[in-house]
C-alpha cells in the first residue's frame, strides 16, 4: 500500500490515506484519528513518522489535537463525538489492569517513561501524567532516580465492583 522507496515521504502517504478515510466519511468530525502507536503498528512506520502524519493533517486543516487527549477530525473547537477519556488516564487504567491481574506484582517497577512513550505513542509529558495519576491514587510510589513501584494491595484504592 505504501511506496517505501518512492519520492513521496511516508508521512505524506499515510496522511493521504487518512485524508481519504475522512473524505469517505469513515472518520467523522469529532472522532479520534488513529494514535501514533496505532499508525506505527498499522503502517509499520517509525514513531517520528507517525508524529509527522498528525502534523501534516493539522497543516492541511483536517484535524486538531487536544493535549493529553489525542487528535480529532475537524477544526479546533469541533465537538468531540463522545466523552473521551484522556490518554494518560487510559494508560493508567491499562497499568491498573495489569496490577490487578498480577502481571505487575507489588513492590515491582511499572514500565518506565520511555517504555510508556513507545508502547502508547505518547509524549513524555503524557507518560508522566499517567504515572502521576497512579501515584496520586495510591497504586504506585516513585523512588527518585529508580522508578515507580506498585504499592502493596492494602494501599490500593477501593474500586467499584470490588
Amino acid at each position: 500500500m505504501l511506496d517505501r522507496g518512492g519520492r513521496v515521504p511516508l508521512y505524506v502517504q499515510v496522511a493521504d490515506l487518512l485524508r481519504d478515510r475522512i473524505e469517505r466519511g469513515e472518520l467523522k468530525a469529532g472522532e479520534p484519528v488513529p494514535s501514533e502507536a496505532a499508525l506505527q503498528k498499522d503502517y509499520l512506520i517509525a514513531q517520528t513518522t507517525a508524529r509527522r502524519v498528525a502534523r501534516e493533517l493539522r497543516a492541511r486543516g483536517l484535524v486538531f489535537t487536544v493535549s493529553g487527549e489525542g487528535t480529532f477530525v475537524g477544526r479546533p473547537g469541533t465537538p468531540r463525538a463522545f466523552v473521551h477519556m484522556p490518554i494518560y488516564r487510559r494508560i493508567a487504567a491499562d497499568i491498573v489492569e495489569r496490577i490487578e491481574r498480577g502481571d505487575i506484582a507489588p513492590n515491582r517497577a511499572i514500565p518506565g517513561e520511555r517504555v510508556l512513550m513507545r508502547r502508547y505513542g505518547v509524549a513524555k509529558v503524557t507518560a508522566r501524567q499517567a504515572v502521576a495519576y497512579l501515584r496520586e491514587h495510591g497504586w504506585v510510589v516513585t523512588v527518585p532516580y529508580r522508578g515507580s513501584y506498585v504499592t502493596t494491595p492494602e494501599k490500593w484504592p477501593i474500586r467499584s465492583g470490588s
Side-chain angles (χ1 to χ4, degrees):
M1 192 183 267
L2 296 178
D3 182 6
R4 295 182 183 278
R7 293 180 329 141
V8 178
L10 287 176
Y11 75 93
V12 172
Q13 293 179 54
V14 175
D16 288 342
L17 292 170
L18 291 174
R19 180 207 59 221
D20 292 345
R21 290 181 63 194
I22 292 167
E23 288 175 354
R24 286 193 308 268
E26 291 176 27
L27 292 171
K28 295 176 181 28
E31 291 183 346
V33 297
S35 68
E36 287 179 11
L39 292 174
Q40 287 176 256
K41 182 180 173 194
D42 293 347
Y43 297 103
L44 301 174
I45 57 177
Q47 181 180 11
T48 53
T49 303
R51 189 166 292 137
R52 290 181 83 180
V53 169
R55 193 177 311 143
E56 177 71 14
L57 291 169
R58 277 194 305 273
R60 295 181 189 185
L62 296 170
V63 302
F64 65 100
T65 300
V66 178
S67 180
E69 291 188 32
T71 300
F72 301 88
V73 176
R75 297 202 172 276
T78 300
R80 292 189 292 289
F82 54 89
V83 176
H84 189 69
M85 181 186 292
I87 291 172
Y88 78 90
R89 293 272 308 272
R90 284 187 277 152
I91 295 168
D94 284 349
I95 294 171
V96 166
E97 279 183 34
R98 292 179 62 199
I99 291 169
E100 290 181 324
R101 273 196 321 258
D103 295 345
I104 308 174
N107 299 315
R108 296 291 174 217
I110 64 169
E113 276 179 10
R114 287 188 179 161
V115 172
L116 295 176
M117 290 167 60
R118 194 170 34 254
R119 181 175 294 156
Y120 295 97
V122 297
K124 185 185 292 188
V125 67
T126 304
R128 286 183 177 172
Q129 284 177 304
V131 174
Y133 182 87
L134 291 167
R135 189 173 42 251
E136 290 164 11
H137 288 84
W139 289 102
V140 301
V141 60
T142 299
V143 178
Y145 307 106
R146 301 276 326 259
S148 295
Y149 296 82
V150 177
T151 59
T152 54
E154 61 270 7
K155 294 183 181 174
W156 296 351
I158 296 173
R159 297 182 25 113
S160 59
S162 55

